[in-house]
Amino acid sequence: MDKLLDEAASLEIATQIGSKAKKPFDNAYEAVLASEGGVYAQGFLVIKRKSYQLLEHAWIEIDSRIVDPNLPHLTKKPEQMWYFTAQTFTVKKLKRIIEESKEDYPEDDPLPIYGDAPYEYYGEVMLGGKEYLSAYELAAAKYQELNQSNVENN
């Protein structure tokens, strides 16, 4: 993780947009629309709960900071969260992709965004292109490392 989580900005934007639990992609979309200079980021989050979990997730990035509007619904300890960015979108590009998705696939939710085909696969879940797979592999390695050390320390 080369960018640091800005806890104060995350809580502020979450309040501003009325962040909802279990809606990371929608919350990130609303947050990027409400922010200045932010980009929508999508990828994976490894988070400490009872054990470590690997989640597909979305947040926004502003300069060298991660602003996560989902923070109130997660752990509030930034040192127990690792973000792995697969792709980012400017507000202009994000709006265009969502408009196209709604036209082409009106019955489907336009978020998350998986990019252009060809897609890579793992298990039964479809991912985006190679950058999405790379972010997943990095997150999965961190997840395994943390859970292994968790088992060894218990």
Side-chain angles (χ1 to χ4, degrees):
M1 177 174 85
D2 57 341
K3 297 184 179 188
L4 296 176
L5 177 65
D6 186 330
E7 190 174 3
S10 296
L11 295 172
E12 183 179 323
I13 196 79
T15 300
Q16 182 182 344
I17 65 164
S19 177
K20 296 173 183 63
K22 299 181 182 177
K23 295 284 188 182
F25 305 102
D26 295 336
N27 290 336
Y29 176 69
E30 294 299 325
V32 78
L33 295 179
S35 70
E36 259 188 59
V39 295
Y40 173 93
Q42 199 171 279
F44 299 92
L45 172 65
V46 176
I47 185 171
K48 172 84 168 130
R49 292 204 173 135
K50 289 182 182 178
S51 63
Y52 288 92
Q53 294 182 316
L54 171 59
L55 309 168
E56 188 174 21
H57 198 65
W59 56 91
I60 65 174
E61 295 179 0
I62 302 173
D63 301 321
S64 61
R65 301 174 298 134
I66 291 172
V67 178
D68 189 345
N70 304 288
L71 189 61
H73 314 293
L74 303 169
T75 183
K76 292 197 176 166
K77 295 182 181 179
E79 65 274 7
Q80 295 179 330
M81 300 167 71
W82 293 266
Y83 291 82
F84 299 87
T85 305
Q87 56 192 356
T88 59
F89 300 99
T90 63
V91 171
K92 183 178 179 180
K93 186 172 183 179
L94 181 63
K95 284 181 175 180
R96 182 178 49 76
I97 290 169
I98 288 176
E99 285 175 22
E100 288 174 5
S101 295
K102 285 181 178 179
E103 286 176 18
D104 295 344
Y105 307 100
E107 66 283 348
D108 293 337
D109 191 342
L111 294 171
I113 298 167
Y114 292 113
D116 298 324
Y119 295 122
E120 301 292 329
Y121 294 88
Y122 76 99
E124 295 182 17
V125 179
M126 183 168 48
L127 291 177
K130 296 210 182 294
E131 70 283 345
Y132 221 87
L133 183 60
S134 295
Y136 173 77
E137 288 171 343
L138 289 170
K142 185 67 172 177
Y143 164 81
Q144 288 179 324
E145 169 196 329
L146 292 167
N147 276 318
Q148 183 62 35
S149 67
N150 203 27
V151 167
E152 290 170 1
N153 293 331
N154 286 331

